[in-house]
Amino acid sequence: MPFYSAAIMTKNCHNDYKMKFSDVEEFPDLSLHNNHMAKVLTKDMYKKLRSKSTPSGFTLDDCTQTGVDNPGHPFIMTVGCVAGDEECYEVFKDMFDPIISDRHGGYKPTDKHKTDLNFENLKGGDDLDPAYVLSSRVRTGRSIKGYTLPPHNSRGERRMVEKLSIEALATLDGEFKGKYYPLNGMTDAEQDQLIADHFLFDKPVSPLLLSAGMARDWPDARGIWHNDAKSFLVWVNEEDHLRVISMEKGGNMKEVFRRFCVGLQKIEAVFKKHNHGFMWNEHLGYVLTCPSNLGTGLRGGVHVKLPKLSTHAKFEEILTRLRLQKRGTGGVDTASVGGIFDISNADRLGSSEVQQVQMVVDGVKLMVEMEKKLEKGEAIDGMIPAQK
Amino acid sequence: MPFGNTHNVLKLKYASSEEYPDLSQHNNHMAKILTPAIYERLRSKQTPSGFTLDDVIQTGIDNPGHPFIMTVGCVAGDEETYEVFKELLDPIIEDRHGGYKPTDKRKTDLNPDNLKGGDDLDPNYVISSRVRTGRSIRGFCLPPHYSRGERRGVEKMSVEALDSLSGDLKGKYYALKNMTDAEQQQLIDDHFLFDKPVSPLLLASGMARDWPDGRGIWHNDTKTFLVWVNEEDHLRVISMQKGGNMKEVFNRFCTGLTKIETLFKDKGTSFMWNEHLGYVLTCPSNLGTGLRAGVHVKIPNMSKHAKFEEVLKRLRLQKRGTGGVDTAAVGGTFDISNADRLGFSEVKLVQMVVDGVKLLVEMEKKLEKGQSIDDLMPAQK
């Protein structure tokens, strides 16, 4: 590690202080909990890991605090832990590996993840029916190597991430030429415009994020960058160092994905030039704050009108088989309005970016066909797909 | 603590100016006092338990404050915080507590016999009387910082002490996490139940971690003496009853508190206290006595009088709505309590409430009769 000497590595004063209480006295009460962390964390595991900390000082309790504070929901399985730096996934692998396996369909500690950001490998995707597919969007996250993550980073670190991001984004040109709007220092007019464009992100209110310390020092060093055409957007220091979003109205996912890949790779090239590549390894792919976003960190989705299909008895089954998930049009945990759903890939780890977007393209195409059949009063039984 | 930036050594590789918080929008005591020079001198320090300057001030950074309400903007994570970071906390204490100097010493007086009167506040106007304070158990870290093991240790010790109370103080402990629905409803009806904090001031300082683990409510059988365990402080001790007999409320308060303290001493520990700061609590605003004595009183005429605020100020009292801090008054009924915590003894503070409320009620009665209150205006206490 270029920044920390071995002498600093294990010294976390507060953690040492806690060690005078036995592991039984410190073990959290998870009896009412239903999240991945609560399913996986045992007393033995806690005992083994609690004295450790990463070089930057992140501890097991730091990882699990959000899962302790937020027992979960009977129907939604939250992850219940976060990473504070890249090393967490190594230092606390005894806990993270089973969580990752559980969350990412059996992904094993020895598995390798494939990255494929070559948009030309996507087949089709330029002909989703715009009468049904209202908008298309692909997003991912990226972490800058050498800095700790949003649950843990200090103001100095966060500001450096912002500085490096602004420098990198300022070099973009052509279709990517754009402007940065720091949250701190936006004019009212700029703010209104960003809200109208649905670009502005707010201070987190979700207790999942607050418990993990991601709202500290808000809005210091947070901001939004977008290109002039408003089709490529980067969030700086929200839930991850960077969130990169490509979007446009209509169903041309192919174009959205092209712009996504090209833009992302341009940004990565600039960061690499300054010796600050993205956190990535061949086992976990892109390393992000929440274990649920490991791998591609990619969510590719559409807003699509499916009033009939969404009320069909087999709707959930179809989604499961297509490896897709539904959300309301306000994002995660919102309700759908007027039969319009946000449909996106369910997977993040174990398949590549191209594969995941392919599943969205193929799956949405099928669902629109099914919707059309149902409109005509016809059955869709013959169209039910096999499990992907 | 995950969000307290306890990884202090890592941060030191950034210059002080790179780490210094942006306080340009802020209006709280911490933001008024903290300077880049103070930050530079204190940022490499930590208390023996690992609490750092950034831990102290995080809540004040995350909550810029309100143009009219001056929040403190910092908390203590342990007893040593007030010593290690005295360069920051002494001026804040001075600003908040009416010029209290680093060399000042304070007096504890929990002898209820020293209170004059207080048993004759008119119950037609004074609906209820209440005295509360906080206590921290020496040897444990405070709510922003302590671990589950510590919090449970505080709970265990407190429950043992409270279980040995007898007579009119005999009571029962209700742990938040295994309360029955019936118990919970009863506690809500009695207005005893405290909820998980929602105030961003508390959340930003880490006080809701692991909720509801280690938290609970104890009260005596007659429901006049109540102890909150591990809410904002290790212990919050409350004596209350309907009507205006503040003397009895204070009597029970002092007796109960002293008994509890004796029980802790018997176990080889004590409350955090020193002769400069008095009782040491999480929030600097509660140092000294940590005492808030107050009444719910009907003063619809008085409260609309042009000189109401002035009268309160001179009497060293403050008003709140009947829902507590930051709530509105309902039907002309106000919560009136002492404004001070540090620099006066407990008896003195309750005396100010007793004398002040008595005067306010007299003024209310005059205004009811359409008479002037000009000759009743008090001098500045």
Side-chain angles (χ1 to χ4, degrees):
Chain A
M1 305 268 73
F3 297 116
Y4 329 110
S5 76
I8 298 171
M9 261 172 94
T10 52
K11 217 49 202 148
N12 182 315
C13 188
H14 186 227
N15 210 34
D16 292 345
Y17 181 83
K18 280 189 291 184
M19 296 303 294
K20 64 187 178 87
F21 288 84
S22 76
D23 46 281
V24 170
E25 288 169 318
E26 288 291 348
F27 190 77
D29 180 348
L30 300 172
S31 49
L32 297 175
H33 289 58
N34 185 42
N35 56 51
H36 284 290
M37 181 276 292
K39 276 179 72 178
V40 161
L41 188 69
T42 62
K43 292 192 166 67
D44 281 342
M45 202 183 273
Y46 187 79
K47 185 173 186 163
K48 187 174 169 203
L49 296 178
R50 75 176 192 123
S51 58
K52 298 182 193 295
S53 64
T54 65
S56 77
F58 211 65
T59 65
L60 181 68
D61 280 338
D62 292 335
C63 290
T64 59
Q65 190 67 55
T66 183
V68 172
D69 288 348
N70 298 289
H73 190 280
F75 306 134
I76 298 169
M77 191 64 155
T78 47
V79 177
C81 59
V82 291
D85 53 29
E86 194 169 6
E87 294 80 3
C88 276
Y89 290 105
E90 192 53 45
V91 173
F92 304 110
K93 73 193 316 316
D94 282 359
M95 180 185 73
F96 276 108
D97 279 350
I99 289 174
I100 288 166
S101 180
D102 206 13
R103 178 62 174 214
H104 294 283
Y107 195 77
K108 296 190 293 296
T110 46
D111 284 340
K112 306 246 177 288
H113 170 81
K114 229 172 78 171
T115 294
D116 182 1
L117 282 162
N118 187 347
F119 64 90
E120 280 162 0
N121 291 341
L122 183 72
K123 300 190 203 13
D126 52 357
D127 60 350
L128 297 173
D129 188 340
Y132 293 83
V133 180
L134 304 174
S135 61
S136 307
R137 180 184 187 266
V138 179
R139 69 86 161 150
T140 190
R142 290 292 186 265
S143 309
I144 303 174
K145 210 170 173 65
Y147 295 94
T148 61
L149 296 171
H152 193 40
N153 56 13
S154 69
R155 285 180 295 277
E157 285 191 291
R158 201 185 295 111
R159 289 164 179 171
M160 272 310 289
V161 165
E162 184 192 36
K163 184 164 179 285
L164 291 171
S165 303
I166 293 173
E167 279 172 16
L169 294 164
T171 63
L172 298 178
D173 59 4
E175 61 174 325
F176 295 106
K177 184 169 170 307
K179 186 178 169 187
Y180 182 69
Y181 302 86
L183 247 57
N184 207 3
M186 216 176 265
T187 66
D188 285 345
E190 287 169 339
Q191 184 169 294
D192 288 343
Q193 187 59 57
L194 287 167
I195 290 172
D197 292 329
H198 304 289
F199 283 175
L200 189 64
F201 63 88
D202 242 325
K203 180 173 179 177
V205 292
S206 163
L208 300 169
L209 299 179
L210 295 179
S211 292
M214 296 205 225
R216 287 172 301 128
D217 312 310
W218 202 275
D220 197 312
R222 275 84 168 188
I224 293 163
W225 179 98
H226 69 77
N227 66 350
D228 297 338
K230 296 185 183 177
S231 56
F232 193 74
L233 169 66
V234 178
W235 286 353
V236 178
N237 285 320
E238 195 238 6
E239 264 190 64
D240 284 292
H241 287 168
L242 299 170
R243 282 285 175 99
V244 179
I245 302 154
S246 169
M247 60 211 265
E248 65 186 51
K249 295 250 181 262
N252 194 348
M253 184 59 96
K254 193 175 186 61
E255 170 62 13
V256 170
F257 189 54
R258 181 205 65 80
R259 186 168 52 248
F260 175 81
C261 294
V262 172
L264 203 46
Q265 283 163 326
K266 278 187 198 285
I267 294 170
E268 179 155 22
V270 181
F271 273 104
K272 274 194 172 136
K273 221 161 63 162
H274 294 106
N275 283 320
H276 285 289
F278 294 146
M279 288 182 199
W280 180 94
N281 64 62
E282 63 170 359
H283 169 50
L284 294 178
Y286 288 101
V287 175
L288 294 175
T289 304
C290 182
S292 69
N293 282 321
L294 291 166
T296 60
L298 186 143
R299 194 170 89 84
V302 299
H303 282 188
V304 57
K305 283 194 239 184
L306 306 169
K308 296 212 151 14
L309 183 58
S310 59
T311 48
H312 191 283
K314 289 208 151 62
F315 183 46
E316 298 289 340
E317 174 70 22
I318 290 164
L319 288 173
T320 303
R321 290 186 183 203
L322 293 174
R323 308 191 75 83
L324 299 176
Q325 65 173 209
K326 74 179 196 294
R327 300 180 182 194
T329 50
V332 68
D333 287 341
T334 62
S336 107
V337 175
I340 300 173
F341 283 81
D342 177 317
I343 302 291
S344 64
N345 55 296
D347 302 312
R348 304 273 184 274
L349 180 64
S351 49
S352 74
E353 287 81 354
V354 166
Q355 284 173 314
Q356 288 167 8
V357 177
Q358 191 70 65
M359 283 192 270
V360 174
V361 160
D362 297 346
V364 169
K365 195 165 186 177
L366 178 64
M367 288 197 291
V368 169
E369 280 176 41
M370 286 174 160
E371 181 71 19
K372 288 173 175 173
K373 280 236 166 184
L374 291 172
E375 273 172 21
K376 289 186 229 157
E378 293 168 15
I380 56 166
D381 296 342
M383 295 169 76
I384 306 281
Q387 177 67 54
K388 285 199 173 300
Chain B
M1 209 172 102
F3 36 85
N5 291 311
T6 50
H7 58 310
N8 222 27
V9 178
L10 170 74
K11 283 183 290 176
L12 291 177
K13 63 186 180 86
Y14 288 85
S16 184
S17 58
E18 288 172 319
E19 288 290 347
Y20 192 74
D22 178 352
L23 300 172
S24 49
Q25 311 290 320
H26 290 58
N27 185 43
N28 56 52
H29 283 290
M30 182 279 291
K32 274 180 72 180
I33 302 287
L34 187 70
T35 64
I38 293 176
Y39 187 79
E40 177 148 23
R41 278 195 291 276
L42 294 180
R43 74 182 192 118
S44 58
K45 298 184 191 294
Q46 53 191 6
T47 66
S49 78
F51 209 62
T52 65
L53 179 66
D54 280 334
D55 293 333
V56 173
I57 63 178
Q58 189 68 53
T59 183
I61 297 168
D62 290 346
N63 298 287
H66 190 279
F68 307 132
I69 298 169
M70 191 66 155
T71 47
V72 178
C74 60
V75 290
D78 53 25
E79 193 168 7
E80 294 80 359
T81 300
Y82 288 103
E83 191 54 42
V84 173
F85 302 109
K86 69 193 318 321
E87 192 182 343
L88 171 69
L89 293 171
D90 276 351
I92 288 175
I93 289 166
E94 186 161 351
D95 205 15
R96 177 64 173 213
H97 294 283
Y100 193 78
K101 296 190 294 298
T103 47
D104 283 341
K105 306 233 179 296
R106 68 155 316 275
K107 238 170 71 167
T108 295
D109 183 0
L110 280 161
N111 185 348
D113 295 336
N114 291 340
L115 183 70
K116 300 190 204 16
D119 52 357
D120 60 349
L121 296 173
D122 189 339
N124 290 314
Y125 294 83
V126 180
I127 301 164
S128 61
S129 307
R130 181 183 187 264
V131 180
R132 69 87 160 148
T133 190
R135 290 291 186 264
S136 309
I137 304 174
R138 186 158 271 166
F140 293 93
C141 294
L142 296 171
H145 190 45
Y146 58 5
S147 67
R148 284 181 294 273
E150 285 191 292
R151 198 186 296 110
R152 290 163 179 171
V154 167
E155 184 190 34
K156 185 163 178 287
M157 219 178 241
S158 303
V159 172
E160 276 172 17
L162 294 165
D163 277 349
S164 56
L165 292 175
S166 59
D168 66 333
L169 293 175
K170 185 172 169 307
K172 187 179 167 186
Y173 181 69
Y174 302 86
L176 246 58
K177 72 174 177 180
N178 46 33
M179 218 174 262
T180 66
D181 286 344
E183 286 169 339
Q184 183 169 294
Q185 194 53 53
Q186 188 59 57
L187 287 167
I188 289 172
D189 294 341
D190 293 327
H191 304 288
F192 283 176
L193 189 64
F194 63 88
D195 242 325
K196 181 172 177 177
V198 293
S199 163
L201 299 169
L202 299 180
L203 295 179
S205 56
M207 294 204 228
R209 288 171 303 129
D210 313 310
W211 202 274
D213 197 314
R215 277 88 168 185
I217 292 163
W218 178 97
H219 68 78
N220 66 350
D221 297 337
T222 46
K223 298 184 180 178
T224 54
F225 193 73
L226 169 67
V227 178
W228 288 350
V229 179
N230 288 321
E231 193 239 6
E232 263 190 65
D233 283 292
H234 288 170
L235 299 170
R236 282 286 176 99
V237 178
I238 302 153
S239 169
M240 60 212 265
Q241 66 193 52
K242 296 252 181 259
N245 194 343
M246 184 60 95
K247 190 169 187 60
E248 190 169 275
V249 170
F250 188 55
N251 214 321
R252 187 185 313 113
F253 176 80
C254 294
T255 308
L257 205 46
T258 313
K259 283 206 159 92
I260 294 170
E261 181 153 24
T262 307
L263 290 165
F264 274 104
K265 284 200 167 124
D266 289 345
K267 290 186 185 301
T269 186
S270 55
F271 294 146
M272 290 183 197
W273 181 94
N274 63 63
E275 59 171 5
H276 168 48
L277 295 177
Y279 289 100
V280 175
L281 295 173
T282 305
C283 181
S285 69
N286 280 321
L287 290 167
T289 61
L291 186 144
R292 191 170 91 86
V295 299
H296 283 188
V297 58
K298 281 194 239 182
I299 38 174
N301 291 297
M302 186 61 211
S303 58
K304 295 203 218 75
H305 193 280
K307 289 208 151 61
F308 182 45
E309 300 289 340
E310 177 68 23
V311 170
L312 287 176
K313 198 152 170 283
R314 291 187 184 195
L315 294 173
R316 305 190 77 87
L317 299 177
Q318 65 174 208
K319 73 179 197 289
R320 299 181 182 192
T322 49
V325 67
D326 287 340
T327 62
V330 175
T333 303
F334 282 79
D335 178 315
I336 302 290
S337 64
N338 54 294
D340 302 300
R341 303 272 184 275
L342 180 62
F344 299 90
S345 72
E346 288 81 354
V347 165
K348 200 101 210 290
L349 292 176
V350 179
Q351 191 70 64
M352 284 195 272
V353 174
V354 160
D355 297 345
V357 169
K358 195 162 188 179
L359 180 64
L360 286 169
V361 170
E362 277 178 46
M363 286 172 155
E364 180 70 19
K365 287 174 175 174
K366 281 235 164 183
L367 291 172
E368 273 173 20
K369 291 186 227 158
Q371 293 169 9
S372 146
I373 54 164
D374 292 342
D375 58 337
L376 290 178
M377 287 294 289
Q380 177 67 52
K381 285 199 173 303

